Amino acid sequence: MNETMVCVVGNVATRPVYRETASGPGARFRVAVTARYWDREKSAWADGHTNFFTVWANRQLATNAAASLSVGEPVIVQGRLKVRTETRDGQPGWMSADIDAVSIGHDLARGTTAFRRTPRPELNAAPDRSEPNWETEAAPSPPTGEETPQLASGTAAVT
């Protein structure tokens, strides 16, 4: 409920790694995000610090990301930020910033792309849900002992 949603704009830093798991397809790759700023002394744009994020994708997003992304391509990633810390005996501790991706796409401000919709898997034959023909004569109801008015020939009954 109280998740930190982020949107990062950067470049694909590593080739997406695709895996089939028991819970479905999964993919991960790294995104490099470099801040740019205006250097007044040099009167030019300069690169700032580069942040690296590990992006995790699941299910159909994983399949599409693995098939669509290459190292160096500009991307926009939206998802939940997860910061992990870990310490191991005899080694310095480390931190990593992961993004559990909800959406991934190419940054069209820096290039073009060709979108292809993925085909949906064939579903079993759906039951007939067509609109019933309301213009047919109603079936006679079982006698209840009460007098019911008779329908005129060709008149539809509405219940």
Side-chain angles (χ1 to χ4, degrees), residues 87-103:
T87 56
R88 293 183 181 160
D89 293 333
Q91 296 180 354
W94 58 270
M95 294 180 69
S96 71
D98 298 351
I99 298 174
D100 186 12
V102 173
S103 181

Side-chain angles (χ1 to χ4, degrees), residues 98-131:
D98 298 351
I99 298 174
D100 186 12
V102 173
S103 181
I104 303 169
H106 285 110
D107 184 358
L108 297 181
R110 297 190 277 160
T112 62
T113 190
F115 180 79
R116 287 183 308 275
R117 189 174 300 277
T118 54
R120 289 185 163 203
E122 292 295 323
L123 301 176
N124 294 338
D128 181 27
R129 296 184 187 261
S130 60
E131 186 70 22

Side-chain angles (χ1 to χ4, degrees), residues 33-39 45-52:
V33 179
T34 302
R36 305 248 319 148
Y37 66 94
W38 181 255
D39 188 341
W45 287 99
D47 287 341
H49 179 73
T50 300
N51 292 306
F52 288 91

Side-chain angles (χ1 to χ4, degrees), residues 17-28 55-67 80 100-104 118 121:
V17 176
Y18 179 81
R19 298 277 191 262
E20 284 285 342
T21 65
S23 60
R28 72 171 160 75
V55 178
W56 298 88
N58 296 304
R59 295 177 289 284
Q60 189 64 45
L61 181 60
T63 304
N64 294 345
R80 291 176 285 282
D100 186 12
V102 173
S103 181
I104 303 169
T118 54

